[in-house]
Amino acid sequence: MDGICTLGNDYVYDQLVALLNSIDAILGKDIPVCIYPFDEKLDLIRAEIANRPNVQIFDDQASIQRWDEFMVEASPASLNREKYRIYGGHRRFCAFDGPFDRFIYLDADTLVMNSLADVFAKLDEYDCVVYDFQHLYPDKVYNVNSEKLFSVFPSELISKQIFCSGFYASKKGLFPPEKIQELVSYLRAGEREILYSTGDQPVVNYMFMRLGTEIYNFAHHLPENMRTGCSVTSKHFVERDNILFDKGNRLTYLHYIGVPPNINQAVCRGENIEFPYRDLFLHYRYLHEPEKRPVFTTPPKPYDAPLPNRWQRAMQKIKVLMKG
């Protein structure tokens, strides 16, 4: 069985609803969806999916624990020491144990923009299929200053195989316990140093590449005049009927990378904060309840406005005191 996977908790509720609604609109309401729990805060999500019979929350605690333990080995810096627990982004890896034989994983802060049939079709030939341009930025996946890096992976592999963990297609069963232990042995032998910082993206790249999985990236194979971007950092996309196009080509998905969930929360509460392709997000967020879409009554402000420095905050406090 094929299905769509994502990762979430109540903090990304608004983004997750927009994603689910885009799946409804573009792929249909019958395609199975599995949400992997970032943590235990899922009350809003449980209520939301009560009327979505195609959507389930993954609850295999043995799988969750297995991947938690692996992440400690792979990226101990990702341990949230304030709460003495693992930062939950890696729990998307539970999809390798999940209900779907073949799956496409999408981050909660994405919108489906097109059929994903071509992506699933490529899984007939490959075990990992992606569509992004992360390979242009290898320093966000691997420690390019590590002397060990290029003894583990040839430079041509680095330039071709790296991908963004926000969208990828793969298959159940690729990482059974013996494969995980093989990876752990490499990490304990010193290969942990080749990973960039913390988080799931370096780790999932390492998982596939270290075990020799060939990764198919549409960005490498489509003709240049047919390739599209996928990130809201691209300002030139054109919207038609709530779908984005890149130089005439329909996007496969849109990733709101760099727009933190608290911005979406504030906008859904009615705060007039601008971010790229905001109206598109709001269209899908309120697709099934347009009457709840916020109406803005204050001037807009940019989502990435710099925070006030210490002097500016002090002046703001003085002004408040003077008014009092």
Side-chain angles (χ1 to χ4, degrees):
M1 179 172 62
D2 294 344
I4 304 296
C5 298
T6 189
L7 175 81
N9 63 2
D10 287 347
Y11 185 59
V12 298
Y13 172 77
D14 292 301
Q15 294 166 311
L16 182 62
V17 171
L19 170 61
L20 293 176
N21 288 345
S22 75
I23 291 171
D24 285 354
I26 307 300
L27 305 181
K29 295 185 178 182
D30 295 327
I31 188 166
V33 178
C34 186
I35 301 170
Y36 292 87
F38 185 94
D39 57 26
E40 68 283 353
K41 297 176 182 177
L42 300 166
D43 291 345
L44 293 176
I45 292 176
R46 292 188 193 282
E48 174 64 31
I49 68 172
N51 296 316
R52 295 180 186 261
N54 62 314
V55 183
Q56 63 178 297
I57 295 175
F58 186 75
D59 193 32
D60 182 338
Q61 295 302 313
S63 172
I64 291 171
Q65 182 177 352
R66 182 163 58 250
W67 287 107
D68 282 358
E69 292 171 354
F70 171 70
M71 197 62 174
V72 172
E73 294 282 357
S75 187
S78 67
L79 185 65
N80 184 335
R81 300 190 185 282
E82 291 183 5
K83 296 184 178 180
Y84 300 98
R85 57 158 298 148
I86 298 295
Y87 177 82
H90 66 281
R91 288 182 174 171
R92 71 193 70 201
F93 303 159
C94 294
F96 297 113
D97 308 324
F100 308 135
D101 299 309
R102 309 191 310 172
F103 63 88
I104 296 175
Y105 172 85
L106 297 108
D107 271 349
D109 62 340
T110 57
L111 297 175
V112 176
M113 289 280 100
N114 206 345
S115 166
L116 300 179
D118 289 346
V119 181
F120 276 119
K122 276 297 171 187
L123 287 176
D124 292 339
E125 306 172 62
Y126 299 88
D127 288 336
C128 183
V129 180
V130 303
Y131 190 2
D132 65 70
F133 299 87
Q134 187 64 52
H135 57 276
L136 299 175
Y137 309 97
D139 57 329
K140 300 302 182 184
V141 173
Y142 291 116
N143 176 8
V144 295
N145 296 316
S146 168
E147 295 181 0
K148 188 183 292 290
L149 176 61
F150 296 104
S151 67
V152 177
F153 299 126
S155 59
E156 60 269 21
L157 205 63
I158 297 289
S159 64
K160 286 290 186 181
Q161 299 283 279
I162 284 175
F163 65 95
C164 173
S165 65
F167 177 97
Y168 57 91
S170 193
K171 301 172 183 176
K172 181 177 180 177
L174 285 186
F175 297 97
E178 62 269 20
K179 292 292 186 182
I180 293 299
Q181 283 307 118
E182 182 180 348
L183 290 169
V184 168
S185 69
Y186 297 144
L187 292 162
R188 286 177 175 173
E191 292 186 10
R192 189 185 294 134
E193 76 170 54
I194 73 173
L195 302 181
Y196 163 79
S197 186
T198 64
D200 60 275
Q201 182 163 283
V203 174
V204 72
N205 274 268
Y206 176 81
M207 287 163 53
F208 279 116
M209 292 173 62
R210 192 63 178 87
L211 296 182
T213 304
E214 187 176 358
I215 298 165
Y216 182 91
N217 190 337
F218 280 94
H220 292 314
H221 296 277
L222 287 173
E224 187 173 354
N225 65 347
M226 293 181 62
R227 286 181 222 147
T228 72
C230 57
S231 171
V232 294
T233 55
S234 295
K235 305 294 179 63
H236 63 279
F237 299 151
V238 175
E239 181 180 340
R240 295 202 300 268
D241 298 324
N242 303 305
I243 300 294
L244 290 183
F245 293 80
D246 185 352
K247 299 175 184 175
N249 297 300
R250 185 169 173 169
L251 268 64
T252 299
Y253 67 101
L254 179 68
H255 192 179
Y256 283 85
I257 190 165
V259 181
N262 64 301
I263 297 297
N264 300 81
Q265 294 168 6
V267 168
C268 292
R269 290 195 304 265
E271 293 187 42
N272 194 358
I273 304 173
E274 288 283 3
F275 58 85
Y277 308 105
R278 183 184 72 171
D279 286 346
L280 190 71
F281 163 77
L282 289 171
H283 168 77
Y284 287 102
R285 167 62 181 86
Y286 295 99
L287 184 69
H288 299 318
E289 44 187 9
E291 72 282 357
K292 294 184 179 179
R293 180 169 172 165
V295 176
F296 303 111
T297 58
T298 59
K301 54 185 178 181
Y303 79 103
D304 54 355
L307 294 172
N309 59 35
R310 185 179 300 176
W311 182 84
Q312 289 170 324
R313 291 197 298 269
M315 290 302 295
Q316 289 171 353
K317 289 182 179 178
I318 290 172
K319 288 178 181 179
V320 170
L321 290 172
M322 290 177 67
K323 288 181 180 178

